[in-house]
Amino acid sequence: MAGAVSAGGDGWSSRTAFVLAAIGSAVGLGNLVRFPAEAGANGGGAFVIFYIFCVLLIGLPILLSETVIGRHGQASAVESMKKVAIESRASTWWSLTAGVGMCGALLVLAYYSVLAGWIVHYIGVFAGDFFSAVGAGAPARGALHGYSVDEVQAILPALHANSTEMIVMHAIFMVLTIIAVGRGVSSGIEKVAVWLMPTFFFLLIGITIYGAFTGSFGAALSFLFDFEPARLLDPAVQLSALGQALFSLSLGSALMITYGAYAARDINLAKTSVQIATADTSVAIIAGLAIFPITFSVLAPASLNAILDGQEQVQGGLGLLFVNLPVAFQTMPAGSLIGLLFFIMVFFAALTSAVALLEASVSWAIGRFKQPRWLVTLLLGGLAFLIGAWASFSFNSLADFHPFDFMIFSGQPVFGILDELTAKILLPTSALLMSIFVGWIADRRLIESENGLDGNLHRVWLFLVRWLCPLVITAILLTGLFPGILEQG
């Protein structure tokens, strides 16, 4: 077994555990919500094709780079970067690359947990509705029986208005995350991944089959995969796909460096990176085939045709998850049960991602301060909770509090600032510096000994990390910070 950050050499018990944990860290709300909406809004098949190329040419090389650094360093993300820098006779300041990603991961966890708290709330809503339906002897009826469409759509705004309940739901999710991380790698993080990820895949496939038979599956196929070749040359489509590829694989957040540190020496990192990227991409595509047939099933023919013709945009993001889908479950057979299972599935994806986000900073703090894992986990989890609780007020009492009035932060509440800061600055910056470090700074023999590639494959990978990855990530950074660049172009 590989050495690891935690005392006693705690690491993954098997290659399968490592792959499942890594997939769990990558699969999250971005796959289930953001990808389907982005694909539909940006050319369908053109977006999907370009996204797959981005995963192959940008995401996969950086993913392998991060796991290589972690496995060689056998320590936290920061210490692993420092070790590789020292052995490469480079400045130890390069370790700040992982530090930026680690800080970004903790901030993402802070607001991610707030969103996950909404999922906990909806699980409660659908669980109560399902048991009510069973008690009434009508388990096959639609969800939220007796609710009007307006009342269903008002569930989320009502939660936003109730700051106490939002914080309680946020706290429940954060406590579960802390428990998983506090138990250690093999006893906590690994068990969460090994149990939850197979269940997640089972639920995802089951709900997709359900949507294929009861929803508008043909319309969903057309929406997601209708191919317009001209859209491949659209800069907006290209940059959206690039950003989604990085976001979806959790790159630049120090997660894969941290998880790579727990990987045994007999694991081929190149093969496992391909498996992780393939699973992550597959989940994103299948999620679209699970969500849109159900969503489209309640639309009037005129509205559906307008969406398929590109005349109207389907509501994406959180509105798709928390508003459109609950309305759709109302009209579908066994809607209460399917809605409950759906939100449990989303919860599993959120929890495995949150565990990885917290572990990135916990592994560093354990090595840096030599304190017990439980204490470190409680302190850092508590810090993320407090930041998230503050951000949650952006939906009620602090909705009009906009602390910054410049660049992308202008007019943003605290929640929006955290999102913009991490997604458009910290994580892309960390990914950019990582590609430069691995491609140009790190000792080539060291990298070759770890990455599991040889011959032409190694040369292609090195070219991508050195040239293509820095160029496209720089493009993402610039367009994220200065959106007007794309409009002027």
Side-chain angles (χ1 to χ4, degrees):
M1 181 183 295
V5 177
S6 53
D10 191 15
W12 310 122
S13 63
S14 67
R15 176 179 169 277
T16 300
F18 169 50
V19 171
L20 286 174
I23 292 172
S25 73
V27 171
L29 294 179
N31 302 75
L32 298 174
V33 179
R34 191 168 182 238
F35 175 86
E38 289 286 314
N42 289 283
F47 176 90
V48 172
I49 290 172
F50 202 83
Y51 171 80
I52 292 172
F53 274 105
C54 290
V55 169
L56 290 173
L57 300 180
I58 309 298
L60 191 52
I62 297 177
L63 172 61
L64 179 55
S65 299
E66 293 190 356
T67 53
V68 162
I69 294 294
R71 211 256 299 272
H72 186 79
Q74 297 286 284
S76 70
V78 173
E79 291 302 319
S80 291
M81 284 285 292
K82 184 181 291 186
K83 178 179 178 180
V84 174
I86 291 172
E87 292 182 14
S88 302
R89 298 182 180 180
S91 171
T92 56
W93 284 99
W94 280 102
S95 63
L96 290 178
T97 298
V100 169
M102 182 184 71
C103 291
L106 192 66
L107 292 178
V108 168
L109 174 64
Y111 72 81
Y112 196 85
S113 179
V114 175
L115 299 179
W118 303 356
I119 298 168
V120 174
H121 175 76
Y122 273 75
I123 288 175
V125 169
F126 276 88
D129 184 62
F130 172 67
F131 289 117
S132 174
V134 171
R141 74 186 184 190
L144 304 173
H145 183 70
Y147 282 62
S148 68
V149 171
D150 289 342
E151 287 174 329
V152 175
Q153 294 175 336
I155 293 175
L156 185 61
L159 176 62
H160 288 173
N162 191 334
S163 58
T164 300
E165 185 172 3
M166 274 234 290
I167 290 176
V168 169
M169 297 298 106
H170 166 46
I172 290 172
F173 183 81
M174 188 62 76
V175 167
L176 293 173
T177 303
I178 288 172
I179 290 172
V181 175
R183 288 176 59 85
V185 178
S186 59
S187 299
I189 299 171
E190 178 179 314
K191 288 192 183 305
V192 167
V194 168
W195 283 100
L196 295 193
M197 288 315 298
T199 308
F200 166 84
F201 285 116
F202 176 79
L203 290 172
L204 179 61
I205 296 300
I207 292 172
T208 303
I209 294 172
Y210 171 86
F213 282 98
T214 61
S216 301
F217 196 71
L221 285 174
S222 177
F223 182 69
L224 285 170
F225 302 115
D226 186 34
F227 181 57
E228 301 176 35
R231 298 298 297 273
L232 285 172
L233 303 178
D234 185 342
V237 173
Q238 295 170 355
L239 288 169
S240 178
L242 284 168
Q244 178 63 27
L246 289 178
F247 183 85
S248 181
L249 287 168
S250 300
L251 302 177
S253 57
L255 305 189
M256 293 303 174
I257 305 177
T258 303
Y259 276 16
Y262 305 132
R265 289 290 176 188
D266 59 353
I267 293 176
N268 185 303
L269 294 182
K271 291 181 179 179
T272 55
S273 295
V274 170
Q275 291 175 324
I276 294 164
T278 300
D280 183 77
T281 302
S282 300
V283 167
I285 294 173
I286 295 171
L289 296 176
I291 290 172
F292 283 122
I294 297 172
T295 304
F296 289 162
S297 67
V298 296
L299 295 180
S303 296
L304 180 56
N305 289 333
I307 289 173
L308 296 180
D309 292 340
Q311 299 171 2
E312 292 183 13
Q313 293 291 327
V314 67
Q315 183 178 16
L318 300 176
L320 177 65
L321 182 64
F322 294 108
V323 179
N324 291 14
L325 279 169
V327 170
F329 288 135
Q330 270 195 303
T331 65
M332 307 193 78
S336 295
L337 175 60
I338 299 302
L340 175 60
L341 293 176
F342 177 83
F343 281 103
I344 289 174
M345 176 191 75
V346 177
F347 173 81
F348 287 170
L351 183 60
T352 53
S353 294
V355 164
L357 290 167
L358 181 55
E359 176 63 16
S361 55
V362 166
S363 64
W364 168 78
I366 291 173
R368 176 68 177 80
F369 299 107
K370 311 299 182 186
Q371 296 298 316
R373 170 173 280 271
W374 272 111
L375 176 62
V376 170
T377 306
L378 284 169
L379 291 175
L380 288 173
L383 175 61
F385 169 76
L386 291 175
I387 296 172
W390 183 37
S392 72
F393 290 118
S394 298
F395 297 95
N396 38 73
S397 59
L398 294 181
D400 297 323
F401 176 57
H402 306 140
F404 301 122
D405 191 25
F406 60 90
M407 293 176 59
I408 56 176
F409 305 121
S410 181
Q412 292 277 9
V414 174
F415 190 95
I417 289 171
L418 290 177
D419 187 16
E420 296 285 334
L421 175 63
T422 53
K424 295 184 178 179
I425 298 178
L426 296 182
L427 302 189
T429 297
S430 179
L432 173 62
L433 294 175
M434 173 61 64
S435 62
I436 293 173
F437 177 77
V438 172
W440 296 98
I441 307 299
D443 184 87
R444 287 189 62 179
R445 289 171 297 179
L446 181 154
I447 298 300
E448 288 174 7
S449 68
E450 293 281 2
N451 65 14
L453 297 172
D454 52 31
N456 290 332
L457 280 178
H458 175 76
R459 284 187 283 273
V460 169
W461 172 78
L462 189 60
F463 170 80
L464 294 174
V465 172
R466 280 184 165 183
W467 296 102
L468 189 60
C469 293
L471 288 174
V472 298
I473 297 173
T474 299
I476 292 172
L477 265 170
L478 290 176
T479 53
L481 291 172
F482 308 102
I485 291 177
L486 193 58
E487 296 174 6
Q488 294 170 6

